[in-house]
Amino acid sequence: MTRADHRGQAPWRILPGFLLVLTGCAERSSRSEPNAWFVEEAVQRGIEFRYESGFDKRALIPEIIGGGAALADLDGDGDLDAYLVQSGWNLAAGPPPNAPANRLFINRGDGHFESAKEMGQAGDRGYGMGVAAGDYDNDGDIDLYVTNLGPNVLLRNDGTGRFEDQTAAAGVGDPGWGTAATFADLDRDGDLDLLITHFSDDVNTLYQNQGDGRFRDHTAASGLSLSVRPFLAWGTCFFDADNDGWLDLFVANGHIYPQVDTHPSGYRYAQRNLLFRNVHGHFTEIGLDAGLTREQVSRGTAFGDYDDDGDVDLVVVNVNDQLQLLHNLGTKANHWLGVRLLSRFGGRDAIGARAQLAAGGQLQSRQVQTSSGYLSQSDPRLLFGLGLQSQVDSLVVHWPGGRRQVLRDLEVDRYHVIHEGQSTTVFGVQRQDPVQATAAPAAGQRAGWMQPHHALHPIGQQRSALQQRQTQMRDHLRTQNLTPSARALAPHSAS
C-alpha cells in the first residue's frame, strides 16, 4: 500500500491490531509533607481541564500517548499562557458530533489564568496528540501547529491570542498520524520550516516555508524520505552538530513491542538512532559514521552543551538499559556563538524569543524553546555554528511582545547573556586546541562523531575543568553587580 493509499483512510480505522491491555498500578500511600516543594493548584489558579483519551477497557495505542501542551506568551503581554491539546473520544466508536475541543488559558499576570473567551479557531476538535509553537510568518507573535490522529491544524496568531485556521492556505494539513512537530529554519532563509514525525511505517514530513504564508512538501528533495523505515521515532531535535551553520537532525528510535522481533515484517524492537547531516539544505543519514552503531530502545532525548565547550551534546534515555551521555567530538575548527536570552519580566528565559544572526553574508534564525521531541526539555541557550567565520556582523533579537534589539561586535567562541533592553554579559572560555581541530566526517568515513561520554572521557576527569569555568562565570557575574536572577545563571558545582 502506498503512502497516499494509507492516508486515504481514516487513521483510527487501521488500528485494531494495536490493542494494549492496561494493567492497574497500585497507588502509593500518601503522607503529609508540610514543606512540600510543589502544590497542585490548577483549579485554584483557573485552569480547569481534564484530558480525555476516550478508551474504554482496552486501549488503542493513540489512546495512551496523548496529550500535549504549550506554554508560550500567546497574547504578547510578557507572561506565559497555556494551550492544552485534547483527544476526547473513543477511537473504536469514531468522532462524536460535539467532541471536546482544545483549550486556551490566558495568564492574567497575577499568577492566575482564565479561559480565553476570544480565541478564534484555536478550539480544534481533532483527536489531538501534540503542539509546536513558533512564529512561522515572522510577524512577531507565536503561532501554533497541532498534530492529530488525522489532519493537523496550523493556527495563525493575530498577536492578541486570537487564532485563525490557516491549514488549507498554508498546505500543511498532513492527514496521517502526526505524533510530534517542531519548527526550525533549516534552509537559512530567515523563516521557520516545519518537521512532522509520524508513527511506524510512515515517512516523516518536512514542510519548507515559502515566506508568503505557504509551505511546500520538501521531504523527498531534502533527503529525509530515505532511511526512515523501519524505524519508530521518539525523541527528535534539530541542532548544529558540527557548527557549520546548518541545522542537523537527531532521531531516537525503538519499537514498543518486544515481540516484534519475531514478526515477519522485519521490524526490530531495538533500533539504532539516526543522525542526518544537513549540507546546504539536503540531509544525509550518517549515524553509523558518527558513532551511533548501538541498537537500543531509545525514548526521550535532551540536547545541550553540558560542558560549555561550544557544541551540543545529547542525553538519550533507553528502556531497561544504561542512559547515554553522547559527548560531541565533532569538528573544533569551526567557530560558534552562544546566547541566553532573558526576559525583562523577572529575568527568566524568554520563551518564544527569536534571534537572527548575520555573519559573512549568511543568515541564521533560532527560537528559544526548551521542549524537544518526546518527554524532554533541553538547553534554553541558542547556539549558532559559524563555520570558518571568525566574526559576527549582527544579532537581532525579537522579544515576545514585539520589541526588537540589535547587538553588534559580539565576541565569538563565547556564550553571551542578553537581558531584554540591556547590554550583554559575556562568559565562557576560549575554545581550546584549535591546531588539533578535525574536520567533520564525510559520508563513508567512520569517525565516531558522537560517543558515549562514560566510555571515552570519565566525568571525574573533566570535573575540575568544568568547575573552573563555572567559578569564572560566577565571578564575572558578581563583578557586574547583576541581579540575583542573573547570578542564578551560574550552574551549580558538580557534586
Side-chain angles (χ1 to χ4, degrees):
M1 178 180 292
T2 67
R3 179 178 174 182
D5 294 335
H6 180 318
R7 292 193 169 179
Q9 303 181 42
W12 55 88
R13 300 300 185 194
I14 63 174
L15 299 172
F18 295 110
L19 286 172
L20 294 178
V21 179
L22 303 182
T23 58
C25 298
E27 184 178 353
R28 295 188 302 172
S29 61
S30 60
R31 62 175 181 171
S32 175
E33 295 284 354
N35 297 316
W37 285 10
F38 296 98
V39 179
E40 203 297 299
E41 294 185 346
V43 175
Q44 295 93 316
R45 297 285 178 173
I47 301 179
E48 293 192 50
F49 177 85
R50 177 183 171 90
Y51 171 77
E52 300 288 351
S53 67
F55 81 83
D56 181 21
K57 297 180 180 179
R58 305 185 74 185
L60 300 170
I61 289 178
E63 294 173 333
I64 61 171
I65 64 174
L71 285 176
D73 182 10
L74 299 176
D75 58 356
D77 63 355
D79 47 38
L80 296 178
D81 310 300
Y83 184 82
L84 308 178
V85 178
Q86 181 66 273
S87 297
W89 39 275
N90 184 276
L91 290 173
N98 295 310
N102 299 344
R103 300 282 301 280
L104 173 60
F105 291 88
I106 298 297
N107 192 329
R108 298 190 326 209
D110 60 357
H112 291 77
F113 295 80
E114 59 184 18
S115 180
K117 299 178 178 60
E118 298 292 335
M119 65 177 185
Q121 297 175 296
D124 181 55
R125 298 179 185 273
Y127 195 90
M129 291 280 114
V131 56
D135 183 11
Y136 83 92
D137 54 357
N138 284 344
D139 65 350
D141 50 47
I142 304 300
D143 310 300
L144 299 172
Y145 186 80
V146 180
T147 57
N148 291 319
L149 179 62
N152 300 333
V153 178
L154 177 65
L155 300 170
R156 182 180 181 273
N157 192 348
D158 69 357
T160 68
R162 183 179 177 86
F163 291 85
E164 181 181 3
D165 187 340
Q166 290 290 304
T167 311
V172 292
D174 200 79
W177 179 0
T179 52
T182 185
F183 286 103
D185 182 12
L186 302 179
D187 49 9
R188 303 202 317 191
D189 63 351
D191 49 37
L192 296 178
D193 308 300
L194 177 64
L195 177 75
I196 304 163
T197 59
H198 301 98
F199 194 68
S200 182
D201 202 30
D202 199 357
V203 175
N204 299 331
T205 304
L206 173 62
Y207 287 108
Q208 184 186 59
N209 195 329
Q210 302 300 292
D212 59 359
R214 297 178 299 172
F215 290 77
R216 179 169 62 92
D217 190 332
H218 198 58
T219 311
S222 69
L224 287 178
S225 60
L226 305 175
S227 303
V228 175
R229 295 187 177 99
F231 300 100
L232 178 53
W234 298 91
T236 62
C237 186
F238 286 106
F239 72 110
D240 190 353
D242 54 354
N243 281 342
D244 66 348
W246 295 88
L247 290 176
D248 310 297
L249 172 64
F250 177 87
V251 182
N253 296 309
H255 212 278
I256 61 174
Y257 293 126
Q259 303 91 330
V260 77
D261 286 341
T262 62
H263 196 274
S265 64
Y267 291 112
R268 303 290 297 173
Y269 181 54
Q271 303 173 0
R272 71 176 181 90
N273 297 328
L274 305 176
L275 178 63
F276 292 87
R277 188 183 182 195
N278 184 348
V279 180
H280 300 279
H282 188 274
F283 291 85
T284 302
E285 206 285 303
I286 62 165
L288 292 175
D289 302 322
L292 303 178
T293 59
R294 182 182 171 192
E295 293 186 348
Q296 58 231 330
V297 184
S298 299
R299 291 295 187 259
T301 303
F303 302 78
D305 183 10
Y306 82 93
D307 53 357
D308 289 337
D309 66 347
D311 51 35
V312 179
D313 311 293
L314 294 82
V315 173
V316 183
V317 178
N318 302 307
V319 176
N320 297 325
D321 202 349
Q322 169 66 35
L323 173 142
Q324 286 186 298
L325 173 58
L326 296 176
H327 185 204
N328 192 335
L329 301 178
T331 175
K332 300 299 181 183
N334 291 336
H335 294 282
W336 56 276
L337 178 81
V339 297
R340 187 171 188 182
L341 304 181
L342 297 182
S343 168
R344 62 190 177 94
F345 298 98
R348 63 172 180 258
D349 289 300
I351 305 298
R354 182 168 52 90
Q356 289 184 312
L357 180 142
Q362 300 295 322
L363 183 68
Q364 297 184 53
S365 180
R366 302 281 192 275
Q367 180 172 303
V368 180
Q369 47 185 13
T370 57
S371 61
S372 59
Y374 185 69
L375 301 179
S376 302
Q377 177 168 310
S378 294
D379 194 340
R381 297 176 296 182
L382 305 180
L383 188 61
F384 296 88
L386 301 176
L388 300 180
Q389 293 292 329
S390 59
Q391 63 183 26
V392 170
D393 299 323
S394 67
L395 181 74
V396 180
V397 181
H398 301 268
W399 299 96
R403 293 176 179 83
R404 182 175 176 269
Q405 186 173 351
V406 181
L407 301 106
R408 303 185 189 278
D409 301 321
L410 295 175
E411 188 176 0
V412 302
D413 301 327
R414 291 287 192 277
Y415 280 102
H416 298 257
V417 181
I418 301 175
H419 295 259
E420 183 176 359
Q422 301 178 19
S423 59
T424 81
T425 300
V426 183
F427 69 91
V429 295
Q430 288 182 333
R431 90 195 145 133
Q432 301 178 4
D433 300 324
V435 177
Q436 301 177 13
T438 58
Q445 296 180 341
R446 194 64 59 86
W449 228 6
M450 309 293 295
Q451 292 289 348
H453 193 286
H454 64 269
L456 296 182
H457 305 279
I459 291 178
Q461 297 177 9
Q462 299 269 324
R463 182 167 293 166
S464 60
L466 179 59
Q467 288 177 333
Q468 182 180 4
R469 289 197 294 272
Q470 293 169 349
T471 300
Q472 291 173 346
M473 174 182 169
R474 284 194 294 269
D475 290 344
H476 183 81
L477 292 174
R478 192 178 298 113
T479 61
Q480 299 298 314
N481 294 319
L482 296 176
T483 62
S485 62
R487 290 199 184 100
L489 293 172
H492 298 293
S493 298
S495 59

